Amino acid sequence: MGPKSKTKKTDLLETLGDFTSKDNWDNFFTIRPDSFEWYAEWSHLRDPLISLLQTLTPPSSLPLLVPGCGNSRLSEHLYDAGYTSITNVDFSKVVISNMLRSNIRSRPLMRWRVMDMTAMQFEDESFAAIIDKGGLDALMEPDLGPTLGNQYLSEVKRLLKPGGKFLCLTLAESHVLDILFSKFRLGWKMSVDAIPSNPSSKPNLQTFMVVVEKELSTTVHQITSLLHNTSLHCNSKQALGLRESLQNENQVREKLSSCSNKLYSVEDVQEELTKISQGRRLQLTLGGQGCSVFSYRAVVLDAEEQSDPFTYHCGVFIVPKIRAPEWLFFSEEGQWMVVRSSKAARLIMVFLDTSHTNATMDEIKKDLSPLVKELEPTENESGAQIPFLMASDGIKKRNIVHQTTSPLTGSIVVEDVVYENVDSEVSCIFPSQELMFRRLVFERAANLVQSEALLKDEHSTKLVGETVKKKANSSSSKKCGSERQNDGAYNQLTVYHGYVASSYHSGIVSGFTLISSYMENVASSGKMESISNFYLGKLQKLSLVKAVIIGLGAGLLPMFLHSCIPVLEIEAVELDPVVAHIAREYFSFVEDKRLKVHIADGIQFIRESTSSGAAQSRSKSNNSSYTESPTNGSSTTSHAEDVEDTKVDIIIVDADSSDSSSGLACPAPEFLDEFFLDTAKDKLSDQGLFVVNLVSRSQAIKDTALEKMEKVFSHIFCLQFDEDVNEIHFALKSESCIEDDGFSEASLKLEKLLKFNHPEIGQKIINATKNIRRLK
């Protein structure tokens, strides 16, 4: 950097001022919209970064996070090197907008999020690598103390996958190293290296790279120094300070390691655990080293105070390996939900792994019993035994009907199951000794049943089972029971589309009460036109309410709507042709004049069928992380280019998310971006209704979704379910809206539009209208 560029950089720094101020950064990026590199250039970073990332998964599938991205070109260089799954975060809306605009075409898979790096809205363990280029340094303003740095590093620890790496590019000032070293002592490997630079330039300050690797252990490792004199081109004060910090930290780690082979063993915390401390959470390693057959990873959680008495003073909750990655069990928020449902004052959550594969549950319990006894609080005056609890899904029988793998969705399973217990409503309507259900499961989200349908014998009227529900397994439901392969008897079964037991699907239909007057008018005009054409001898063309459903799944929702609301004309949009094929072959999905399927990207479908040019422009930028529409669909299935440029009356978004880092199981975050919401609003008719099925256990994520919808729609309603993670949001395009005292009349109009063989089904939908509440 020459004298002029140094002067220019100094001027920019003076303009920026406080490095933690959002307004200052917005001003800075407005003044300097082009790329700006604070530390080392890509030519110096390329080799060390790529060599470290190559030790992880293949580039294209490696989820990377770049917090505090600014307008550095680091992410662009990584993308061009093959690392296309990159999420960039910055709290400056100015820089995120600029970077999205400049990369939307050349790097369409790159994600950009306006987000505070000290409180990021991603699921735990979402990223294989996190790359920080000066972000931690910027947060560690000496006058502000370590608060922001602590919050940020806690987020890094939360978001990294096991085996993942945090690559921190820093100037290695002592106050930064103090917090960095102390935060990553337990179960983390760490190394420090100098970033090569041009020796002739003799910079005053050199960039260093601290690499931290996440382990599932409590071992304390020494920090590996990769520094050597030939790699140091900084002033002697910086080099001396770094070596001194390394030496002091390794001495601390040596003392910690010499005290015990494993930290947070029972011996380390047994004295603390004699009494319950409300809200305390400790991670432990149990057993091993001759005191038990197996060793275990465990979390001890002391419940918050509650009004009702606890059922258990202490309980053990065993989490099998297959369910350990589920949000409910691996995230802190989910674990506290399990604690509340267990009614235990102290819950010891034990995670099984591959080392326990060949052991029976009785053997596990016998091995665990003396270990968990040492964690029992001394307040147990009754001497009651510690109960063992375990996740279960209540399945009595399971038959795998079909298994396949899709390039888009991954592994897909179709299975028939018999539950130990079924809803009394199903048994009353369809009396049977044993109801059977067919389920569609995407193994990328093993805890989420995509679709579930009641089965009947196609050679008789006898029903064998049904539901249509995208539901998340609760802590009291677990995959167990017998499994058997497909046999001839199962080929006699077919799906019954005349019933929906899912609270969220019936909830979607109940939301139609918001536009029931409009639907009634369309139905009435269609009848009058039909009568007129009959007497005039003309061809009949009835008026219909046009609906678009994004996310076909097993096709159960569109088939149900098709059968119970004759005034509907439905277009379903499905990204994956394999899923559409499964809907036809295994879930009795059939198209006709009122029901059509498009193999297309849902966002692209809405955008390309919208007449508003402005909305199209906004949607293009939003669609950057989506693939092109497949072209290998069924010959009877249309594609996006076949769509006419017409308005629709109802848009339903019911598509699951393939990106677990978003915190949403449904829909993908892009469906809640303002770009798409604007486009969907433009696509709707004047009386149109927008419906989205929202599935997330995080209230913060739900609140964020609502804030985005409020920016686009004037009237928003919500339907929540007591025992389900699904939440249905309804938005109206019209500025006028149904009044609260008009719901009764509107629900009666909807009831007249519904056609069912069983009146009880329609009553369930009408009852749900009473729970719809206004949000805006």
Side-chain angles (χ1 to χ4, degrees), residues 12 232 445 681 691:
L12 285 169
L232 295 176
K681 183 178 180 181
V691 186

Side-chain angles (χ1 to χ4, degrees), residues 147-190:
T147 301
L148 294 177
N150 258 312
Q151 293 173 351
Y152 167 54
L153 293 181
S154 295
E155 285 293 83
V156 169
K157 295 172 72 173
R158 180 180 70 83
L159 294 175
L160 268 183
K161 295 176 179 291
K165 293 183 178 180
F166 175 45
L167 313 180
C168 183
L169 298 167
T170 174
L171 297 181
E173 295 175 276
S174 60
H175 67 288
V176 175
L177 293 180
D178 286 346
I179 188 174
L180 188 58
F181 289 166
S182 62
K183 268 287 193 178
F184 294 99
R185 281 185 182 140
L186 309 179
W188 298 81
K189 292 181 179 178
M190 184 179 287

Side-chain angles (χ1 to χ4, degrees), residues 23 29 89 662 750:
D23 290 338
F29 291 124
V89 165
S662 68
L750 176 63

Side-chain angles (χ1 to χ4, degrees), residues 221-400:
H221 297 280
Q222 290 282 293
I223 300 175
T224 303
S225 174
L226 304 176
L227 304 173
H228 48 85
N229 290 333
T230 57
S231 66
L232 295 176
H233 305 293
C234 56
N235 60 48
S236 58
K237 183 179 179 180
Q238 187 187 17
L240 182 63
L242 174 58
R243 286 198 167 103
E244 184 178 344
S245 295
L246 277 171
Q247 183 179 356
N248 292 339
E249 177 62 16
N250 275 334
Q251 287 176 355
V252 171
R253 292 177 177 232
E254 178 62 28
K255 291 179 182 178
L256 289 173
S257 297
S258 63
C259 294
S260 174
N261 290 329
K262 291 185 178 182
L263 296 178
Y264 291 103
S265 65
V266 175
E267 292 77 15
D268 296 321
V269 296
Q270 193 165 19
E271 185 175 347
E272 293 183 47
L273 293 177
T274 56
K275 295 183 178 180
I276 288 178
S277 177
Q278 293 175 357
R280 177 173 57 190
R281 178 181 179 273
L282 291 174
Q283 298 188 74
L284 308 175
T285 298
L286 299 180
Q289 297 183 335
C291 63
S292 63
V293 177
F294 302 104
S295 60
Y296 305 87
R297 181 170 69 90
V299 180
V300 177
L301 303 113
D302 288 348
E304 299 281 1
E305 185 178 2
Q306 63 180 41
S307 56
D308 298 328
F310 291 104
T311 304
Y312 310 108
H313 75 287
C314 183
V316 179
F317 193 97
I318 299 176
V319 182
K321 177 179 177 294
I322 191 172
R323 299 200 65 184
E326 294 180 20
W327 182 94
L328 192 63
F329 303 118
F330 77 70
S331 71
E332 288 191 32
E333 187 180 353
Q335 290 172 2
W336 285 116
M337 290 180 67
V338 176
V339 173
R340 289 190 289 271
S341 65
S342 72
K343 305 295 183 182
R346 169 172 292 169
L347 188 68
I348 305 166
M349 192 172 289
V350 179
F351 295 85
L352 304 185
D353 56 35
T354 52
S355 67
H356 310 111
T357 302
N358 296 324
T360 65
M361 192 50 58
D362 286 341
E363 291 170 339
I364 292 292
K365 291 179 180 179
K366 182 178 180 180
D367 195 43
L368 272 174
S369 290
L371 301 178
V372 298
K373 191 69 177 176
E374 297 180 9
L375 304 177
E376 184 180 25
T378 55
E379 291 99 324
N380 179 27
E381 298 177 356
S382 65
Q385 289 190 341
I386 301 175
F388 282 86
L389 312 172
M390 187 173 176
S392 161
D393 66 0
I395 293 178
K396 184 164 60 175
K397 297 178 183 178
R398 175 185 281 111
N399 175 64
I400 304 299

